[in-house]
Amino acid sequence: RAPGGPGGAAVGAMPQQEFREPDAPPDGTPLFYLYARNPKTRVMWYPVSVLRGDGQSKGLVGAWLGSPLAKGVFKERLDEGVARSIFESERRLTDMARQQYPAIKKLPSLEWGYKIVATGVSTAVAKGELPEQKVQMVTKELMQQESWADKAQKAAKSMLGQA
C-alpha cells in the first residue's frame, strides 16, 4: 500500500550500487525512499526500496508544501501513511534489506525511515521554506495515532458534554 492510501505501487529494491535519488516524477506523484538502519548504533541509513505515492499522498505533499499554516498536520499524515506502508510490509522489506547489506543481515530488528522526492520539495528547501531533508524515522506507533480530525471531534463532543 502506498503512503496516504491504496493505489500506489512499490517500485522495488534499491541495490546499493544503483541507488540515487532521481528528480521528482513529472506528473507530480511523490516518491518515498525507504531506509533501514541498526537500531543500536543508529549510524548509517541504508537505502532499501522506493514507493510511488498515490493521489492522496500527492495531495498531502502539495498541502504540506503550500500551506502557510498547519504544515505539521500534513507532514504527520505523510509520516503515518509511510509508517503504515512500511510496517504492513515489514517482513518483506527486512528481507530485502538483509539481502542487500551484510552489515544488517543478522540484526533481529531494524529501524525504518524515509525521504520524499516530489515536485517542489527541493525548491522549498532551496528557498529556506523547509529544512534540508534528512531521513525521517518512523515507528509502528505512528500508525495508531489519532488524526487531528478525530482529536477535534472528541474535543467538540467533550465541550458539548457528549463524551
Side-chain angles (χ1 to χ4, degrees):
R1 208 174 96 152
V11 177
M14 299 298 301
Q16 189 173 17
Q17 60 274 18
E18 294 178 22
F19 183 77
R20 73 171 188 82
E21 291 177 16
D23 295 330
D27 67 356
T29 302
L31 298 176
F32 298 88
Y33 281 81
L34 307 183
Y35 296 82
R37 72 178 175 186
N38 181 333
K40 298 221 186 302
T41 62
R42 293 185 162 185
V43 173
M44 181 175 173
W45 286 105
Y46 296 95
V48 176
S49 186
V50 62
L51 297 175
R52 185 175 180 88
D54 59 8
Q56 184 177 359
S57 62
K58 182 178 176 180
L60 283 170
V61 169
W64 173 54
L65 293 173
S67 177
L69 303 171
K71 281 188 184 299
V73 172
F74 299 114
K75 183 65 167 70
E76 286 173 11
R77 290 286 310 275
L78 287 166
D79 292 347
E80 180 184 337
V82 173
R84 184 166 280 109
S85 294
I86 288 171
F87 293 108
E88 286 176 354
S89 303
E90 186 176 21
R91 181 173 294 158
R92 182 180 59 81
L93 289 169
T94 299
D95 288 346
M96 285 172 35
R98 288 180 177 149
Q99 286 174 1
Q100 293 177 67
Y101 304 105
I104 58 177
K105 190 173 203 137
K106 295 184 194 261
L107 295 175
S109 64
L110 300 172
E111 282 186 339
W112 294 97
Y114 77 99
K115 276 185 171 181
I116 301 170
V117 174
T119 305
V121 172
S122 58
T123 304
V125 169
K127 288 181 177 178
E129 296 168 1
L130 287 177
E132 183 68 34
Q133 266 211 94
K134 292 183 168 60
V135 176
Q136 171 68 49
M137 191 174 95
V138 293
T139 63
K140 286 183 181 176
E141 290 75 30
L142 286 171
M143 295 173 19
Q144 295 145 10
Q145 285 185 356
E146 285 184 299
S147 73
W148 64 271
D150 293 337
K151 290 177 187 174
Q153 187 175 25
K154 280 187 179 178
K157 284 183 179 179
S158 172
M159 289 183 348
L160 298 172
Q162 300 174 1

